[in-house]
Amino acid sequence: MMKIDVLSIFPEMFPGVLGHSILKKAAEKQAVSYNVVNFRDYADNRHQTVDDYPYGGGAGMVLKPQPIFDAVTDLVDKAESKKPRVILMCPQGESHTQKKAEELAREEHLIFICGHYEGYDERIREHIITDEISIGDYVLTGGELGAMVVIDSVVRLLPGVLGSEESHIQDSFSTGLLEHPHYTRPADFRGMKVPDILLSGNHKLIDEWRTKESLRRTYSRRPDLLDAAELSPEQRKWLEDIKKQQ
């Protein structure tokens, strides 16, 4: 079972996300356990202050090292695994990807640190962090929303969490391409019809159609992904045909 600890000064933000849908079911199936900790509880001063003015001046406040160091140390000491991945949610971090989610899903213990204010004391980065992750090139008021996004992307990949193991394998980005279009009943909705091939029962042709549509959508919306995609000779031929049609 994966263990996920989250350090935040706003722990009340998490129950609504962790207590619903797939994340809730994952905990019920004992695929994962969640523990959200207010690292203000580890502050060694009477007023439980976790931030201070930056040396050298400047706008904003900076998170102090002591509460976060002590919180991480305590969580590691209490855990069975002594080598957790300690993840700092930070706009300076590497952009989160499906590949990163798959990598983290193989771990036994993840600790997420959610910051606020202007930033972190640099010694936190230098001495206790294993990963810095950003969910995009923009700045949020804190790391909580980013941590929720990463947790969701990781937990859904754990064994037994999704109803079908093929679900996440066929997700957009898992194959290096965007996912093909989906349709469900009715076959004719207000004159808008499902492609005939999907009603044919010919699974070989259906798979071929889905692959071509995945290539078409990727080329149209995210052509940058094609540079790293591992395509078969047949898929490359289909892609060339798609390019000629544009």
Side-chain angles (χ1 to χ4, degrees):
M1 179 170 66
M2 173 181 280
K3 180 176 179 57
I4 294 180
D5 291 308
V6 182
L7 297 180
S8 168
I9 56 174
F10 297 103
E12 61 275 11
M13 293 179 65
F14 286 86
V17 173
L18 302 181
H20 288 84
S21 189
I22 297 298
L23 297 185
K24 178 184 179 182
K25 292 178 181 178
E28 291 174 344
K29 292 179 178 181
Q30 297 186 333
V32 63
S33 67
Y34 309 113
N35 177 40
V36 184
V37 175
N38 190 336
F39 62 84
R40 193 182 296 279
D41 295 338
Y42 289 86
D44 63 359
N45 60 85
R46 185 177 63 179
H47 299 291
Q48 292 188 304
T49 303
V50 296
D51 62 310
D52 209 336
Y53 295 101
Y55 279 121
M61 305 291 280
V62 176
L63 286 172
K64 295 155 61 79
Q66 178 272 317
I68 293 177
F69 266 74
D70 286 357
V72 171
T73 298
D74 186 40
L75 293 174
V76 173
D77 288 345
K78 291 177 179 177
E80 295 180 5
S81 172
K82 300 305 179 184
K83 292 184 177 180
R85 295 283 283 271
V86 183
I87 301 163
L88 194 72
M89 299 308 304
C90 174
Q92 300 177 28
E94 65 175 296
S95 294
H96 190 52
T97 63
Q98 185 70 15
K99 182 178 180 181
K100 187 68 174 183
E102 292 168 355
E103 175 189 330
L104 294 176
R106 294 191 288 268
E107 298 291 333
E108 295 180 12
H109 186 190
L110 303 177
I111 298 177
F112 289 86
I113 300 176
C114 305
H116 256 74
Y117 312 116
E118 183 64 22
Y120 306 92
D121 185 289
E122 190 66 16
R123 290 164 289 190
I124 296 171
R125 301 180 193 273
E126 293 176 345
H127 296 285
I128 60 175
I129 300 303
T130 61
D131 303 83
E132 294 185 46
I133 293 179
S134 166
I135 63 167
D137 293 338
Y138 47 86
V139 179
L140 299 171
T141 55
E144 285 78 11
L145 294 175
M148 294 175 194
V149 168
V150 177
I151 290 170
D152 185 280
S153 71
V154 170
V155 170
R156 65 188 302 279
L157 299 177
L158 299 179
V161 170
L162 296 180
S164 170
E165 290 300 311
E166 292 186 359
S167 294
H168 68 78
I169 295 174
Q170 296 178 353
D171 284 341
S172 290
F173 305 111
S174 290
T175 62
L177 302 173
L178 299 184
E179 198 169 9
H180 56 78
H182 292 277
Y183 296 88
T184 187
R185 290 178 290 185
D188 186 334
F189 175 67
R190 300 178 182 177
M192 297 174 281
K193 297 181 179 181
V194 172
D196 290 339
I197 186 66
L198 298 180
L199 308 177
S200 69
N202 189 322
H203 294 292
K204 182 177 184 298
L205 292 181
I206 290 172
D207 288 342
E208 181 178 310
W209 179 88
R210 286 174 170 169
T211 301
K212 288 179 179 179
E213 291 303 308
S214 180
L215 288 166
R216 190 187 314 278
R217 181 160 289 186
T218 305
Y219 177 67
S220 174
R221 302 183 182 186
R222 289 291 306 276
D224 56 295
L225 296 176
L226 293 170
D227 294 335
E230 296 182 4
L231 303 180
S232 68
E234 186 175 36
Q235 290 171 336
R236 291 192 181 281
K237 181 180 181 302
W238 290 341
L239 178 58
E240 291 304 313
D241 291 339
I242 290 169
K243 291 179 178 180
K244 294 176 183 177
Q245 297 169 10
Q246 299 298 311

